[in-house]
mmCIF file of all heavy atoms in Angstrom:
data_model
loop_
_atom_site.group_PDB
_atom_site.id
_atom_site.type_symbol
_atom_site.label_atom_id
_atom_site.label_comp_id
_atom_site.label_asym_id
_atom_site.label_seq_id
_atom_site.Cartn_x
_atom_site.Cartn_y
_atom_site.Cartn_z
ATOM 1 N N ALA A 7 32.886 36.730 10.758
ATOM 2 C CA ALA A 7 32.048 35.650 11.267
ATOM 3 C C ALA A 7 32.663 34.945 12.477
ATOM 4 O O ALA A 7 31.946 34.406 13.312
ATOM 5 C CB ALA A 7 31.788 34.633 10.161
ATOM 6 N N VAL A 15 45.444 40.921 9.374
ATOM 7 C CA VAL A 15 46.432 41.950 9.681
ATOM 8 C C VAL A 15 46.780 42.661 8.384
ATOM 9 O O VAL A 15 47.355 42.074 7.474
ATOM 10 C CB VAL A 15 47.697 41.341 10.316
ATOM 11 C CG1 VAL A 15 48.707 42.426 10.643
ATOM 12 C CG2 VAL A 15 47.331 40.545 11.564
ATOM 13 N N ARG A 24 45.385 47.948 -3.821
ATOM 14 C CA ARG A 24 44.579 46.923 -3.145
ATOM 15 C C ARG A 24 45.210 46.614 -1.789
ATOM 16 O O ARG A 24 46.422 46.681 -1.629
ATOM 17 C CB ARG A 24 44.538 45.649 -3.982
ATOM 18 C CG ARG A 24 43.828 45.828 -5.288
ATOM 19 C CD ARG A 24 43.816 44.537 -6.048
ATOM 20 N NE ARG A 24 43.245 44.740 -7.367
ATOM 21 C CZ ARG A 24 43.300 43.860 -8.330
ATOM 22 N NH1 ARG A 24 43.906 42.700 -8.129
ATOM 23 N NH2 ARG A 24 42.751 44.112 -9.488
ATOM 24 N N PHE A 27 47.278 41.882 3.120
ATOM 25 C CA PHE A 27 47.089 41.435 4.497
ATOM 26 C C PHE A 27 47.529 39.994 4.628
ATOM 27 O O PHE A 27 47.693 39.282 3.633
ATOM 28 C CB PHE A 27 45.636 41.597 4.948
ATOM 29 C CG PHE A 27 44.627 40.887 4.085
ATOM 30 C CD1 PHE A 27 44.284 39.574 4.328
ATOM 31 C CD2 PHE A 27 44.019 41.534 3.022
ATOM 32 C CE1 PHE A 27 43.365 38.920 3.533
ATOM 33 C CE2 PHE A 27 43.091 40.896 2.228
ATOM 34 C CZ PHE A 27 42.767 39.579 2.482
ATOM 35 N N TYR A 28 47.756 39.595 5.872
ATOM 36 C CA TYR A 28 47.952 38.181 6.166
ATOM 37 C C TYR A 28 46.907 37.788 7.191
ATOM 38 O O TYR A 28 46.291 38.625 7.855
ATOM 39 C CB TYR A 28 49.380 37.854 6.612
ATOM 40 C CG TYR A 28 49.845 38.481 7.901
ATOM 41 C CD1 TYR A 28 49.656 37.845 9.123
ATOM 42 C CD2 TYR A 28 50.514 39.701 7.896
ATOM 43 C CE1 TYR A 28 50.103 38.408 10.298
ATOM 44 C CE2 TYR A 28 50.973 40.266 9.068
ATOM 45 C CZ TYR A 28 50.762 39.616 10.262
ATOM 46 O OH TYR A 28 51.210 40.176 11.428
ATOM 47 N N VAL A 30 45.727 35.262 10.432
ATOM 48 C CA VAL A 30 46.102 34.396 11.546
ATOM 49 C C VAL A 30 44.856 33.601 11.917
ATOM 50 O O VAL A 30 43.818 34.193 12.225
ATOM 51 C CB VAL A 30 46.591 35.206 12.768
ATOM 52 C CG1 VAL A 30 46.924 34.272 13.920
ATOM 53 C CG2 VAL A 30 47.769 36.072 12.395
ATOM 54 N N SER A 33 43.301 28.913 17.706
ATOM 55 C CA SER A 33 42.311 28.743 18.763
ATOM 56 C C SER A 33 42.136 30.086 19.464
ATOM 57 O O SER A 33 43.004 30.964 19.372
ATOM 58 C CB SER A 33 42.777 27.686 19.766
ATOM 59 O OG SER A 33 43.906 28.151 20.471
ATOM 60 N N GLU A 34 41.046 30.222 20.161
ATOM 61 C CA GLU A 34 40.790 31.482 20.864
ATOM 62 C C GLU A 34 41.896 31.791 21.872
ATOM 63 O O GLU A 34 42.366 32.926 21.964
ATOM 64 C CB GLU A 34 39.429 31.406 21.570
ATOM 65 C CG GLU A 34 38.971 32.708 22.150
ATOM 66 C CD GLU A 34 37.545 32.656 22.673
ATOM 67 O OE1 GLU A 34 36.830 31.697 22.381
ATOM 68 O OE2 GLU A 34 37.163 33.599 23.389
ATOM 69 N N SER A 35 42.356 30.765 22.586
ATOM 70 C CA SER A 35 43.404 30.997 23.589
ATOM 71 C C SER A 35 44.733 31.389 22.936
ATOM 72 O O SER A 35 45.439 32.261 23.446
ATOM 73 C CB SER A 35 43.582 29.766 24.481
ATOM 74 O OG SER A 35 44.008 28.657 23.725
ATOM 75 N N LEU A 40 48.902 35.866 21.034
ATOM 76 C CA LEU A 40 49.618 35.935 19.766
ATOM 77 C C LEU A 40 50.962 36.645 19.901
ATOM 78 O O LEU A 40 51.960 36.190 19.344
ATOM 79 C CB LEU A 40 48.751 36.626 18.708
ATOM 80 C CG LEU A 40 49.301 36.666 17.292
ATOM 81 C CD1 LEU A 40 49.582 35.268 16.771
ATOM 82 C CD2 LEU A 40 48.321 37.387 16.375
ATOM 83 N N ASP A 41 51.018 37.731 20.651
ATOM 84 C CA ASP A 41 52.287 38.454 20.823
ATOM 85 C C ASP A 41 53.334 37.577 21.513
ATOM 86 O O ASP A 41 54.510 37.598 21.142
ATOM 87 C CB ASP A 41 52.078 39.745 21.611
ATOM 88 C CG ASP A 41 51.300 40.785 20.827
ATOM 89 O OD1 ASP A 41 51.360 40.742 19.575
ATOM 90 O OD2 ASP A 41 50.641 41.625 21.448
ATOM 91 N N GLN A 42 52.913 36.791 22.479
ATOM 92 C CA GLN A 42 53.822 35.892 23.181
ATOM 93 C C GLN A 42 54.326 34.796 22.232
ATOM 94 O O GLN A 42 55.520 34.455 22.244
ATOM 95 C CB GLN A 42 53.102 35.266 24.378
ATOM 96 C CG GLN A 42 53.915 34.277 25.156
ATOM 97 C CD GLN A 42 53.102 33.602 26.255
ATOM 98 O OE1 GLN A 42 51.951 33.960 26.512
ATOM 99 N NE2 GLN A 42 53.682 32.608 26.884
ATOM 100 N N ILE A 43 53.462 34.265 21.405
ATOM 101 C CA ILE A 43 53.843 33.230 20.444
ATOM 102 C C ILE A 43 54.828 33.796 19.420
ATOM 103 O O ILE A 43 55.844 33.171 19.102
ATOM 104 C CB ILE A 43 52.596 32.638 19.755
ATOM 105 C CG1 ILE A 43 51.761 31.865 20.781
ATOM 106 C CG2 ILE A 43 52.989 31.742 18.585
ATOM 107 C CD1 ILE A 43 50.372 31.463 20.289
ATOM 108 N N GLY A 46 58.271 34.155 20.957
ATOM 109 C CA GLY A 46 58.938 32.856 21.043
ATOM 110 C C GLY A 46 59.497 32.422 19.699
ATOM 111 O O GLY A 46 60.623 31.912 19.619
ATOM 112 N N GLN A 48 60.446 34.386 17.279
ATOM 113 C CA GLN A 48 61.599 35.232 16.979
ATOM 114 C C GLN A 48 62.840 34.755 17.728
ATOM 115 O O GLN A 48 63.944 34.795 17.201
ATOM 116 C CB GLN A 48 61.292 36.689 17.314
ATOM 117 C CG GLN A 48 60.308 37.304 16.337
ATOM 118 C CD GLN A 48 59.875 38.707 16.731
ATOM 119 O OE1 GLN A 48 60.000 39.102 17.875
ATOM 120 N NE2 GLN A 48 59.350 39.435 15.763
ATOM 121 N N LYS A 49 62.654 34.288 18.958
ATOM 122 C CA LYS A 49 63.790 33.765 19.715
ATOM 123 C C LYS A 49 64.331 32.491 19.075
ATOM 124 O O LYS A 49 65.536 32.253 19.066
ATOM 125 C CB LYS A 49 63.395 33.498 21.166
ATOM 126 C CG LYS A 49 63.230 34.751 21.985
ATOM 127 C CD LYS A 49 62.896 34.417 23.404
ATOM 128 C CE LYS A 49 62.789 35.690 24.231
ATOM 129 N NZ LYS A 49 62.530 35.388 25.645
ATOM 130 N N ALA A 53 69.573 31.074 16.580
ATOM 131 C CA ALA A 53 70.156 30.214 17.616
ATOM 132 C C ALA A 53 71.337 30.866 18.327
ATOM 133 O O ALA A 53 71.691 30.461 19.430
ATOM 134 C CB ALA A 53 70.596 28.897 16.993
ATOM 135 N N ALA A 58 70.306 27.091 24.320
ATOM 136 C CA ALA A 58 69.664 25.830 23.921
ATOM 137 C C ALA A 58 68.550 25.421 24.877
ATOM 138 O O ALA A 58 67.491 24.958 24.444
ATOM 139 C CB ALA A 58 70.711 24.731 23.820
ATOM 140 N N PRO A 69 52.799 26.438 19.917
ATOM 141 C CA PRO A 69 51.947 25.785 18.928
ATOM 142 C C PRO A 69 52.641 25.758 17.564
ATOM 143 O O PRO A 69 53.631 26.453 17.352
ATOM 144 C CB PRO A 69 50.713 26.685 18.878
ATOM 145 C CG PRO A 69 51.215 28.024 19.273
ATOM 146 C CD PRO A 69 52.317 27.766 20.257
#
Side-chain angles (χ1 to χ4, degrees):
V15 181
R24 295 180 185 168
F27 57 88
Y28 64 89
V30 178
S33 67
E34 189 172 347
S35 63
L40 185 58
D41 290 334
Q42 178 185 354
I43 293 169
Q48 289 174 340
K49 286 182 178 183

